[in-house]
Amino acid sequence: VSGIIKHTTKTDKPKEKTISPLIKKVIIVILLILLFVLFVYLRRRFIITYRKKKFRNNNTSKAISDIYSYTLKLLLLFDIKRRNEAYNVFAENVESELAGKYFNAGDFKRFMELVLKGAFSDETADRQEVETVETFAKNLAETIYNNSNPFRKIYIKLVVVLK
C-alpha cells in the first residue's frame, strides 16, 4: 500500500514555469516601443484630421488664415520667417529663396495676394480661392518632402507632422 500512496512534504511543489528576468525586460521594452509607435501614429492621424477640418472651414477667411499659418510652418523648415516686413516684401524674399525649386516663380506672390484678400481684408474669399491657396500649400509640402533626405522626411512626417 505504501507504494501506491506517495508521501509528500511541504517542500515538494509542482514545477512552475517561470519567465527569466531577461525575457521580461525584453517584453517590457517591446511593449514600450509599441506604445510609443501607437502614440506617434495616433498623434499624426489626429493632427492631419484636425488640419483638414480647419482647411475645410465654412468660414473662408478662417480657412485661408489656417492654411497661411500652415504654410509659415513649412517655410520654417528653411528658417524663413516673416519679420516686421510688408507682406509683398516677404513674398519677394520667399520667391527669391525658393522659386524654381519648390514652386514656380510668381506662385508665392499669388498665394500671398489671395491670403491678404481672404484672411486680412474685408473682402470674402470664395471657395475656389480657398482651394487655390490650399493646393499651393499642399504642393509646397509635397515638394519639400520629396526633396528632403530620409532623416528630414522622418522629421517632417513624424515630429512636426507637416506632411
Side-chain angles (χ1 to χ4, degrees):
V1 178
S2 65
I4 297 174
I5 299 176
K6 183 178 178 188
H7 295 285
T8 60
T9 63
K10 289 185 179 181
T11 58
D12 290 342
K13 290 184 180 176
K15 291 187 177 180
E16 295 178 9
K17 293 184 179 180
T18 59
I19 300 174
S20 74
L22 177 64
I23 302 264
K24 285 181 182 178
K25 288 178 183 175
V26 169
I27 290 172
I28 289 171
V29 167
I30 290 171
L31 287 175
L32 288 174
I33 290 171
L34 288 175
L35 281 173
F36 177 74
V37 169
L38 179 65
F39 169 76
V40 170
Y41 172 77
L42 292 175
R43 176 181 171 269
R44 178 174 162 68
R45 292 284 6 122
F46 173 77
I47 290 171
I48 290 171
T49 302
Y50 185 66
R51 181 184 307 138
K52 284 180 183 177
K53 182 179 176 183
K54 287 178 16 175
F55 287 5
R56 300 288 180 211
N57 193 331
N58 288 333
N59 179 342
T60 57
S61 176
K62 180 72 173 125
I64 287 180
S65 179
D66 289 335
I67 295 167
Y68 174 65
S69 295
Y70 170 70
T71 305
L72 290 179
K73 290 176 186 174
L74 290 171
L75 294 176
L76 282 176
L77 293 169
F78 301 102
D79 292 325
I80 297 174
K81 298 177 188 174
R82 183 179 169 271
R83 296 180 180 18
N84 291 331
E85 58 200 352
Y87 285 100
N88 60 339
V89 173
F90 173 64
E92 288 174 18
N93 291 340
V94 172
E95 287 271 346
S96 67
E97 292 272 336
L98 305 177
K101 184 171 183 181
Y102 295 97
F103 50 81
N104 295 325
D107 284 357
F108 192 79
K109 287 180 183 177
R110 175 70 181 140
F111 167 82
M112 284 303 300
E113 288 171 5
L114 292 173
V115 167
L116 290 173
K117 175 188 175 193
F120 301 114
S121 75
D122 293 333
E123 295 181 55
T124 303
D126 60 32
R127 204 75 204 134
Q128 180 63 38
E129 290 170 326
V130 174
E131 288 174 13
T132 301
V133 170
E134 182 180 0
T135 299
F136 174 82
K138 286 182 176 180
N139 289 342
L140 178 61
E142 187 71 28
T143 306
I144 290 170
Y145 180 79
N146 290 338
N147 287 309
S148 296
N149 65 46
F151 295 109
R152 189 167 179 156
K153 285 181 178 182
I154 291 170
Y155 176 74
I156 290 170
K157 264 195 148 171
L158 301 179
V159 178
V160 291
V161 191
L162 292 176
K163 173 158 180 357

